[in-house]
Amino acid sequence: MGHRIPPVAGARPIVAPRSIFTRIVLLSAVLSAVLLAGLWWITDQTIRDSFAASTREGVDVDLTGLVDIYASGGQAELEQRIADRLAMVPIDAGRAHYLLADRSGNPIAGDLARWPDLDPQISESGTIAIGSRTQAYARATLISEDLALLVAHEPPDRAFLLTRVGLVFLLGGAVFVGCIALFAQAANVRVRAKVARVGEAFRRSDEPALDRLAAPERPDEIDQIASQASQAVKRARQLMLAYRETSEQIAHEIRTPLMHLDSRIQKAIAQDPALAARANLVEARGDIKRLVAMLEALLDIASSKAQTGDTRGMKPVDFSASVRQICELYQDSADEAGYRFEWDVAGGVIVPGDEAQLGRIVTNLLDNAFKYNRPGGAIRVTLEPGPRLVVTDEGPGIAQAEREKVFERFYRGRDTDPDIQGSGMGLALARAIAERHQLSLRVAPTHSGATFILAPAADMRDA
């Protein structure tokens, strides 16, 4: 579960972890913090290295000076100078330590009690222990055949400087990261507002909004993508419009002559022609009516598919009342056919959509159940909140391999009784209408008979 970000006016709420802009803000803040931590580490190491280099340089200078004093003043002068330097207490530098020893390492002057593990013959240097807690950088040298001199300097107190540097980085870093986060958040708001405007334009999908997206005044990357998408939508809309116009013209041009022909046949029948000719005319008229019904179903399917996802013009429909009314109309047909017809309709099931089209789904499912039910079988209709409409019959059922094919146009099962009339368009039309209403129509697996379920598409995917 993520934090829900208040939407920009007109935009849908965005869940924070799913927002790419929120992730950019968080990533910017984290990256800034990491970069500051790295910079602080480099600065800290630089300060430590500088102190170490200064200590080494101080030891070498101090040792060189004492060697010069020995060369000019002798051992007594050297011992005096060592005592003078030990008496001095440095203010801003580390304390110095000295040891003048004979060739065997026995102390002669200085404050160190024993010679460390450094070879004076090669002027070896290194870190030595001063007491139990202190360490110092030292260098030893042989100033004569019998005398060795060692100078050691403790590192200066650098804790205060490092602490101050750390505080500066901590406080300055907090301000820097905060500024980065604020800047990223401000950019986030602007980009989200722009994306929301683009999304709203596509949801409205009207020509002025698409035209504004297609020709932005100061285009950036998002505007360029939106422009290309709007142009693609307009092209698709033009193609769909041309397709619908062509289909409607073809259907109209075919349907009108057929209706005129049907009228002529009806008049011929009314004039009481010979019985054989009358029977043929009645049969021809039935064929014409089926052809007209098929054309109308094709137009309805095309119209429903073209409007899939388009909620314009939809209103809340009392689906409970609609289903109950249709069932009552079918009761007489069930009595004539000898079927046991039952329905259990929950009240108050409201579905946003087109009432006539939703009723068409129910009638098509019932027509299908009446056609394929076994003699004396039962037909059951159940409507629950959701909505969830279930229509079952006790016919031969639908093989698993045909459960999707029955929704194809003109499809009729291989085992369908040839005496059963039908164009194979009813279920295709029912599914097209269902998809337009964000619903899904499926055949449920059963051991006997057929069961059709109409439910929200999301529920059917989760089932």
Side-chain angles (χ1 to χ4, degrees), residues 70 73-80 100 108 147:
Y70 173 76
Q75 181 176 345
E77 181 65 19
L78 177 60
E79 292 178 3
Q80 182 60 46
L100 180 65
I108 298 174
L147 290 176

Side-chain angles (χ1 to χ4, degrees), residues 4-15 189 192-193 196 203:
R4 210 169 181 77
I5 297 176
V8 176
R12 293 180 177 176
I14 300 174
V15 179
V189 171
R192 280 185 55 211
R203 278 191 292 276

Side-chain angles (χ1 to χ4, degrees), residues 188-452:
N188 174 11
V189 171
R190 289 197 298 273
V191 174
R192 280 185 55 211
K194 177 167 290 189
V195 171
R197 287 196 296 272
V198 172
E200 179 62 20
F202 281 118
R203 278 191 292 276
R204 290 170 53 191
S205 194
D206 54 15
E207 287 297 329
L210 293 176
D211 289 340
R212 285 194 296 273
L213 290 181
E217 295 179 358
R218 301 173 62 185
D220 55 17
E221 292 83 352
I222 295 177
D223 291 327
Q224 292 175 0
I225 295 174
S227 175
Q228 295 171 1
S230 67
Q231 293 173 8
V233 170
K234 294 181 69 174
R235 286 195 297 271
R237 178 179 292 179
Q238 291 169 355
L239 291 174
M240 181 58 67
L241 181 61
Y243 165 75
R244 290 181 59 186
E245 288 178 348
T246 303
S247 300
E248 289 174 356
Q249 287 176 349
I250 292 174
H252 178 75
E253 294 300 326
I254 294 176
R255 184 171 55 181
T256 301
L258 287 175
M259 294 301 295
H260 291 165
L261 179 59
D262 179 62
S263 297
R264 292 195 187 94
I265 293 174
Q266 189 176 11
K267 291 179 181 177
I269 294 173
Q271 292 172 0
D272 194 16
L275 293 178
R278 179 187 179 91
N280 289 331
L281 289 173
V282 169
E283 185 176 350
R285 190 167 180 239
D287 291 341
I288 292 172
K289 285 185 173 296
R290 283 192 291 274
L291 183 56
V292 171
M294 182 190 68
L295 290 174
E296 290 176 343
L298 280 172
L299 287 174
D300 289 341
I301 291 173
S303 176
S304 297
K305 285 187 172 295
Q307 297 179 62
T308 299
D310 186 357
T311 59
R312 289 178 294 179
M314 290 189 175
K315 300 178 180 177
V317 175
D318 188 345
F319 201 34
S320 299
S322 180
V323 173
R324 190 179 296 110
Q325 184 178 11
I326 293 172
C327 289
E328 290 172 353
L329 292 175
Y330 271 76
Q331 181 61 63
D332 292 340
S333 299
D335 294 339
E336 293 176 1
Y339 294 151
R340 189 171 67 258
F341 187 37
E342 303 169 348
W343 65 86
D344 181 10
V345 178
V349 178
I350 305 299
V351 178
D354 184 294
E355 183 173 7
Q357 287 195 333
L358 290 171
R360 190 73 178 273
I361 296 177
V362 181
T363 56
N364 283 10
L365 292 178
L366 285 175
D367 286 343
N368 188 76
F370 274 71
K371 283 180 184 176
Y372 298 101
N373 199 16
R374 69 174 175 79
I379 297 173
R380 299 181 182 83
V381 176
T382 303
L383 177 64
E384 299 173 347
R388 183 179 176 83
L389 176 71
V390 180
V391 178
T392 63
D393 62 57
E394 294 182 345
I398 303 173
Q400 183 175 359
E402 294 186 321
R403 287 174 186 165
E404 280 299 312
K405 291 183 178 179
V406 296
F407 295 104
E408 297 177 359
R409 300 173 193 178
F410 305 110
Y411 182 80
R412 303 194 70 196
R414 290 175 298 180
D415 299 332
T416 301
D417 186 344
D419 293 334
I420 298 177
Q421 298 295 323
S423 61
M425 303 293 290
L427 293 177
L429 176 57
R431 171 171 277 189
I433 295 174
E435 291 174 347
R436 192 216 160 182
H437 289 75
Q438 308 295 316
L439 300 173
S440 180
L441 181 60
R442 294 284 186 273
V443 178
T446 54
H447 295 294
S448 63
T451 298
F452 288 85

